[in-house]
Amino acid sequence: MAEGTVRIAILEEDVEIIRHYTRYFAFDRGFEREYYQAWKTTYLADEWRIILEQCIQEQIAAVLAIYDRNKQRGWIRNGQSMLSLQSTVAQIYIEEGYLDRLMELVMKEESLELILYYHAELVKHYPAELLSLYLLAIRQRAESTSDRRQYQELVKDMKLIIKDIPEGKQQLLELAGELKQVYCRRPAMVEELNKSTSMKSVI
């Protein structure tokens, strides 16, 4: 029904209706790039910069409200970041090329999985900053892993980081050695770090 309204509004060149619904669909269920771009094209460049900043602040305010409410209910762990809740804001930053602002969000994150989610967008611009995050996140992930599949995933992630941030090879080599010593009673972890020929060539 509403999508039909958008199509009619486009045919009738009703800009206000187009803006209303394209913005709604852009953020209704996560982030929809097609509707976001359709919404953006209804503004001139100078107008868009103002509208965009307003949108970002509204999205952040909404996230903070949800975060605070969930924290009061005890659903948020101490130290848990808001990056997963801010995924819509992060997608806007990616779409607009605001990688510096995206990196500010990621710098607050401790989860290896979430940092890696934005790896492709950031690694060419912030390799040193990402490496520092990865070294800490890998230690935390290693502490919480408990089975061979997870160890394999950890090794896979380390290999990806080395491939994309070769200047961090030595630090990751030292970290791998540290993990083998700290978790020497987890033979599966040590085995996964050791058995891969490609892993041995870089770590």
Side-chain angles (χ1 to χ4, degrees):
M1 180 73 175
E3 291 184 359
T5 302
V6 174
R7 287 194 291 270
I8 293 171
I10 291 172
L11 291 173
E12 296 179 349
E13 298 184 351
D14 190 329
V15 176
E16 291 306 313
I17 294 296
I18 294 170
R19 286 174 177 172
H20 173 79
Y21 281 105
T22 51
R23 175 171 179 163
Y24 173 80
F25 287 122
F27 303 113
D28 180 40
R29 298 179 180 178
F31 181 83
E32 292 291 340
R33 184 178 186 276
E34 178 184 355
Y35 285 108
Y36 179 85
Q37 286 296 331
W39 175 44
K40 179 178 179 177
T41 57
T42 66
Y43 292 95
L44 298 175
D46 290 343
E47 294 177 314
W48 176 245
R49 282 192 287 271
I50 296 171
I51 295 297
L52 176 60
E53 289 304 320
Q54 291 174 348
C55 175
I56 290 171
Q57 294 308 313
E58 289 171 6
Q59 294 290 326
I60 291 174
V63 166
L64 288 171
I66 294 171
Y67 184 87
D68 289 341
R69 186 163 59 249
N70 289 343
K71 190 170 185 178
Q72 290 174 6
R73 293 172 178 173
W75 297 349
I76 300 292
R77 301 190 307 272
N78 288 336
Q80 183 177 343
S81 79
M82 291 183 287
L83 182 57
S84 57
L85 291 174
Q86 289 176 322
S87 59
T88 298
V89 178
Q91 290 301 319
I92 292 174
Y93 290 163
I94 292 171
E95 199 67 24
E96 297 295 332
Y98 294 169
L99 298 185
D100 55 338
R101 296 168 78 170
L102 176 63
M103 190 65 210
E104 287 180 12
L105 286 182
V106 174
M107 286 292 289
K108 301 173 184 176
E109 184 53 55
E110 297 178 353
S111 164
L112 180 60
E113 181 181 9
L114 284 175
I115 299 169
L116 284 168
Y117 187 83
Y118 298 101
H119 177 86
E121 284 78 18
L122 295 171
V123 67
K124 291 182 180 179
H125 303 276
Y126 303 99
E129 293 86 346
L130 282 177
L131 180 61
S132 296
L133 291 177
Y134 285 138
L135 292 172
L136 293 173
I138 289 170
R139 285 189 178 91
Q140 291 192 2
R141 171 67 68 81
E143 183 178 354
S144 63
T145 53
S146 58
D147 61 51
R148 187 173 295 274
R149 181 188 62 79
Q150 292 176 330
Y151 300 147
Q152 290 170 343
E153 284 297 316
L154 185 63
V155 169
K156 179 181 176 183
D157 291 340
M158 292 175 73
K159 289 166 67 176
L160 171 66
I161 295 165
I162 289 173
K163 175 178 175 293
D164 289 350
I165 313 177
E167 59 269 36
K169 173 182 174 180
Q170 183 59 35
Q171 292 181 70
L172 283 161
L173 185 154
E174 293 171 359
L175 177 56
E178 175 188 323
L179 294 179
K180 292 177 192 177
Q181 290 183 340
V182 172
Y183 302 107
C184 59
R185 295 185 180 180
R186 298 185 189 178
M189 177 188 286
V190 175
E191 184 179 334
E192 291 301 328
L193 284 168
N194 283 333
K195 78 176 186 179
S196 170
T197 302
S198 57
M199 195 68 173
K200 287 180 182 177
S201 68
V202 291
I203 293 187

